[in-house]
Amino acid sequence: MHIEFLGAAAEVTGSCHLLSVDGRRVLLDCGLIQGRARDEARNRDAFPFDPAGLDAVVLSHAHIDHSGRLPLLVKRGFRGPVYTHAASRDLARIMLRDAGYLQEREAEWQNRKRERKGLPAVEPLYTVADAEACLGQFVALGYGETRDLLPGVSARLLDAGHILGSSIVEMFLREGAREVKLVFSGDLGQAGAPILRDPTAVREADVVILESTYGDRLHRARDETLAELAEILRAAAGRGNVLIPAFAVGRSQELLYLLGSHFEDWNVGAWQVFLDSPMAIEATEVYARHPELYDREATARWRAHGERSLPNLRLTATPEESMAINRIASGALIIAASGMCTGGRIRHHLKHNVWRRDCHLIIVGFQARGTPGRALVDGARHLRLWGETVRVQARVHTIGGLSAHADQAGLCGWYAGFEGRPPVVLVHGEPDKQAALAQRLAQDHRAPVRIAQRGERLELAPAE
C-alpha cells in the first residue's frame, strides 16, 4: 500500500498522486501543468503509469491544474470512473471543454508557423471531443457520503471551501489486516471568504497530504483588503478603466458577490461592470444552480436578491461584445480571464489599457512563476502581446487578501484539528513556501513533515 507523487510535487500545478492498494490503482487528481513553455511541454509526456491499468480517479475540484489532463488520460486508455462532487462535475464540464478548445487553437496557431517553415504539423494535446468523451466517465458524489470505490478502497468528500464543489478527500484503504486513512486536502479555502463555507475540520488520519500554495505568508486581513479595494475604485472613478484578471471559476464569482454586497458604499453604480469571459459567465450560472453550498450570509443574500444585486453588470459572451469594451476610455470595470494573464480576453484589454497612466490593474489571485501576471506583480515595465511590446504605465495593485487559498495560519490551523499529529506530506507549492510551512508545522504543532518530490513513493501504514 503506497502513494506516488507524480505532479504538483515541489511545484504548484499539475496535481497528480497515485494510490496503490492490493493491486488496485486510484489516481487523486490529474491536473494540467501550467507556467513557462518548457513546463507546459511536459503535459505531452507519457504518464508514468499505464492509464488503462487505472481503476478509478478521485478529483478534488474542477480547477484545470487539478483536472486538466483527464481528457488526455481517457484518450490514452483510461476507462474507469472519475468520482467528484456534483458541482465539480458541472464546473469541469465547462472548464475541460474550454481547455480542449484552447488546445485546438494553440495547435492551429503552431501549425501555421510550422507550415511556413516546412515542419510537420503537431496534434493538439486533446480536443473538445476528447473532453466530451472524458465527461461521460464522471460520477457525482455529495459531501459527507462514503462511497465504496473498489474492494478495499472507499472515499468520502468534505467541503474544502476553495471553489464551488471543492473537496477534501478522505480515503479509507484496506490491504490484508492493515487499514489506513489518508486525507488529501485538495486546495483549502480561506475561512470567512464570501459565498462558500469554511473548510471542514477533520479529526482523524494516518497520513495527511496537504497543499502549500501560500505556506510562507499570511494574507492581509479581509476588512483591510476590502477597504483597499474600495479605495482603488473610488480613486479611479471617472479617471480611466479598471482591469481585474480573474480566474473564471471562483474568483470571478467572488468579485461579483463583493461588488453587489458593497454596491452603495463602494459607489459601484458609477461603473460599467463587465464580466468578459464566456467560461466565467457559464460558471456563474453553475454557482446560481447550487445555492445549497453557500454559507449563511450568501444564502440570505440569495434569498433576498437572487441574481439581481448588481444591476449595472453586463455579461459579454460574444467576441463582438468584448471588442466593443475597448472603445471605452473611462468608466469600465472589466473582470476577464485568464487569472494569470496567460491567455483569454484579459490580454486584449491589457493591450488597449495597460499603457495608459489612468488605468488601474488589480491582481487578485496567485501568479505562477513565468506568467505575464507574475511579471506585472514583480514590476515589469514592458509586456509582450502578440509580438508587440507594450509599455506598462498602469498602476498595478496586488490584493492578496482575496486569495481562494488558505494562508500559512489557515493551513496550520486546519492541520491542528487532527488528533495525534499524523505525518503530513506537502504538495502543491513552490519549494521556498513549502520549506517555510514545514518549519512552522514542525515548530508549532510537532508535526512529522516531509516535502513530496516528483516520482517519490511513500509506503502507507497506520499511524503509531
Side-chain angles (χ1 to χ4, degrees), residues 2 48 72 92 133 194 228 235 238 257 285 313 349 384:
H2 62 267
L72 186 63
E228 182 180 2
Y257 180 86
E285 293 168 355
L313 172 64
H349 298 305
R384 193 81 174 158

Side-chain angles (χ1 to χ4, degrees), residues 279-450:
M279 185 164 64
I281 292 168
E282 289 187 79
T284 301
E285 293 168 355
V286 173
Y287 268 67
R289 292 202 301 269
H290 287 278
E292 75 280 2
L293 301 179
Y294 298 174
D295 65 15
R296 185 178 302 148
E297 182 180 347
T299 298
R301 185 166 187 82
W302 175 261
R303 288 172 178 164
H305 301 284
E307 301 176 62
R308 301 181 301 278
S309 63
L310 199 52
N312 54 337
L313 172 64
R314 287 190 57 193
L315 307 177
T316 49
T318 69
E320 293 76 17
E321 290 172 318
S322 178
M323 288 187 284
I325 299 171
N326 288 319
R327 294 195 288 270
I328 301 173
S330 181
L333 193 161
I334 306 160
I335 302 168
S338 69
M340 298 186 195
C341 306
T342 53
R345 294 180 177 179
I346 191 61
R347 292 173 64 83
H348 294 277
H349 298 305
L350 289 169
K351 182 178 180 179
H352 284 84
N353 288 275
V354 79
W355 51 270
R356 301 174 186 265
R357 293 184 183 276
D358 58 2
C359 173
H360 290 256
L361 175 65
I362 304 177
I363 303 293
V364 294
F366 178 80
Q367 305 297 314
R369 289 175 179 168
T371 63
R374 180 66 165 260
L376 288 164
V377 168
D378 290 342
R381 302 315 305 163
H382 296 88
L383 199 61
R384 193 81 174 158
L385 297 165
W386 297 287
E388 180 181 346
T389 299
V390 180
R391 187 178 181 185
V392 178
Q393 297 194 100
R395 292 188 60 184
V396 179
H397 310 269
T398 302
I399 310 291
L402 293 181
S403 175
H405 286 268
D407 62 7
Q408 186 185 81
L411 294 168
C412 289
W414 183 75
Y415 174 79
F418 287 95
E419 297 176 347
R421 298 298 177 258
V424 57
V425 184
L426 301 182
V427 297
H428 206 282
E430 294 171 349
D432 55 338
K433 296 169 176 56
Q434 293 183 313
L437 180 59
Q439 183 179 27
R440 181 62 60 195
L441 285 167
Q443 287 180 353
D444 293 357
H445 302 283
R446 304 184 311 280
V449 190
R450 64 194 298 163

Side-chain angles (χ1 to χ4, degrees), residues 239-262:
R239 298 183 178 88
N241 295 328
V242 170
L243 309 183
I244 309 181
F247 299 109
V249 177
R251 191 56 45 77
S252 292
Q253 291 72 40
E254 181 178 348
L255 286 166
L256 295 179
Y257 180 86
L258 290 172
L259 292 171
S261 300
H262 297 274

Side-chain angles (χ1 to χ4, degrees), residues 193-255:
I195 304 177
L196 302 180
R197 297 186 287 257
D198 294 349
T200 306
V202 186
R203 294 176 62 85
E204 297 177 344
D206 293 299
V207 63
V208 178
I209 311 300
L210 177 61
E211 70 117 321
S212 52
T213 311
Y214 285 108
D216 67 338
R217 69 188 68 180
L218 301 178
H219 296 319
R220 192 174 186 185
R222 184 160 289 272
D223 56 350
E224 294 178 5
T225 297
L226 298 183
E228 182 180 2
L229 187 55
E231 181 57 34
I232 294 168
L233 295 182
R234 293 188 190 109
R239 298 183 178 88
N241 295 328
V242 170
L243 309 183
I244 309 181
F247 299 109
V249 177
R251 191 56 45 77
S252 292
Q253 291 72 40
E254 181 178 348
L255 286 166

